[in-house]
Amino acid sequence: MGGIGAVLALAGSDSPLRGPFTLFFLLAAPAAAIAAALRGLDPFGRVVTSVAGAVVLDMLVAQAMLALHQWSVRGGIVAVTTISALILLLVTAQRLRGRTTRERTV
């Protein structure tokens, strides 16, 4: 659903589902990336923290784009997607590096 919202917004579609699906994407993508980084928390705390982090990330992107006079819907979606992907890649790389280190010591 979130991916469909991002595609609809990037394509400039006039679909009535564009708004809700894009909003879902802007909350779900960063929340999923942050939740992956917070593996040690209990499930409820992880959900609350990841959703709060997603809202903060969205607000920081919007504030930075407005301060630089570069605001656009497409640019905001691309920025949030890029940051979320980087967070997820860093978490994945850290876990893979941790596995190889543990395998070597065992």
Side-chain angles (χ1 to χ4, degrees), residues 35-100:
L38 300 174
R39 197 166 65 167
L41 290 179
D42 64 296
F44 181 72
R46 195 171 172 185
V47 168
V48 170
T49 305
S50 63
V51 170
V55 170
V56 168
L57 180 71
D58 290 339
M59 294 298 167
L60 287 174
V61 167
Q63 184 177 2
M65 291 180 77
L66 287 171
L68 296 171
H69 302 287
Q70 297 296 320
W71 173 251
S72 71
V73 174
R74 291 180 181 165
I77 291 171
V78 169
V80 169
T81 303
T82 304
I83 294 170
S84 299
L86 285 174
I87 292 170
L88 196 56
L89 285 172
L90 288 172
V91 168
T92 304
Q94 183 179 9
R95 287 188 185 156
L96 289 176
R97 189 174 357 133
R99 281 187 191 160
T100 56

